[in-house]
Amino acid sequence: MAAQYVLGYDIGGTKLGVGISTVDGKLIGTERIPNKDTRPEDVLPEMIAVTDRLLAAAGLTRQDIDCFGISAPFPADPVNGIMTAPTNNPKWRNVPILDFLREQLGMDGCFENDANCGALAEGFFGAGRGCRDFLYLTMSTGIGAGVITNGRLVRGRSLCGGEVGHMVLVNNGRQCACGQRGCYEAYCGGRAAALALQELLKDNPDHPIVQIAGGRIEDIDMVAIEKAVRMEEPMAMAVWDDMARKNAQAFGILINTLSPEKLILGTFAWAIGDLYLDPIKKYLPEYTWPQMLEACEIVPSELRREISAYAGVAAALNFRQERI
Ligand SMILES: [Zn+2]
C-alpha cells in the first residue's frame, strides 16, 4: 500500500515546527523546537530526532511517509533548497536543508517560500478550500503572497514568483529593505509603516501618537497606529488612509491581472478587522474593473495564527499532488 502520511517542517524565526499529516490533510502530530539564535548544526539533528519521536508516538515508521515539505523564509535558493540568508536568524547562512532532510530521512521532499506555503495551507485547510484561483497575502511585518491559479501554485521561471510586496507602486518612492524604491511593502508592511511614522515624528516627542505608543518614538508600531486611529488622531488617520489607498492600488493590480475568486488576507485583516478592511474596500473600485471586483471575495485568513502549523505539511501535500 502507498504511504499514507506526509511530514511538514516550518522554519520560523523563533520556533521550528515539525508536523505529521495524513495525505487527506488530518494533522496527527506536531511539535515545536525553539529556534531563536540557534545554530543549524544543533537544530538539524534535532529535527530528525523530533521527527522519529513523533512517528513513534503515532505508531508509524519512515516507511509510512510519502514525502516531506519545508516552509522557509526568503531570501533563499529555492532551486537547490538552500536557506541563504534568512533575515530573522543570521546564523543560518547557506544551509542546504532540502538535501540534508532527503539524505537523513531517505525520502523526497520540497522547499517552498513561507508565503507560498501559507497559500497552500489556506487552500488545503482554510479559506481557499474548493477555490482554484486565489491569492494569500501575509500582511504583517512584511508583505508576501502565494498565488494559486487554475489550482496550481505559481512559482515562475526563477521559482521566486509571487513577491507582490515588491511591486513598485511609487516611482522613486520610499526605500525598501529589498533595495528597490517605492515597493508596496515599503508603504503597507507593518515594519516599514511604523518606521516611516517614527521618522515623521522624530522631532516631535510630545505628539499624541508617541504618547499612545508609551512615550518612546521607537516603540511606535502598527498596534500604536491602530490605537491612534481608533482615537481619531488626525495624523494617524491620514497615514491609515494612505495605507488603505496603497493596499487598494496593489489589490487592484492583482485582481485585474489574475481575476481571483478570493484574496485571502493574513494578520492585519483578522487582527484589526473592519477598521483595516473597510477603507481598502471603499477605494478598490478606483483600481479595478467592476466585473473582476465583483468576482472576487476579500476575506481574512481562516487559519490565522495556526497557519504555520499547516505550512510544511501543505507544501508536502502539494508536492505529492504535483508529482502524481
Ligand atoms: Zn521591496
Side-chain angles (χ1 to χ4, degrees), residues 198 213-221 224:
Q198 289 174 18
R216 283 157 40 113
I217 289 174
E218 59 270 35
D219 288 340
I220 293 174
D221 57 7

Side-chain angles (χ1 to χ4, degrees), residues 165-167 176-186:
H166 304 281
M167 299 188 292
C176 180
C178 79
Q180 296 180 162
R181 299 188 78 95
C183 291
Y184 173 31
E185 180 177 298

Side-chain angles (χ1 to χ4, degrees), residues 118-119 121-122 125-128 135-139 263-271 277 298-308 310:
E122 288 290 341
F125 306 104
L135 285 88
Y136 166 73
L137 275 75
T138 56
M139 314 203 78
L263 280 189
I264 303 170
L265 308 180
T267 313
F268 293 154
W270 56 262
L277 288 176
I298 296 172
V299 296
S301 154
E302 242 176 68
L303 300 174
R304 300 189 169 202
R305 67 178 84 252
E306 293 303 308
I307 199 158
S308 58
Y310 294 96

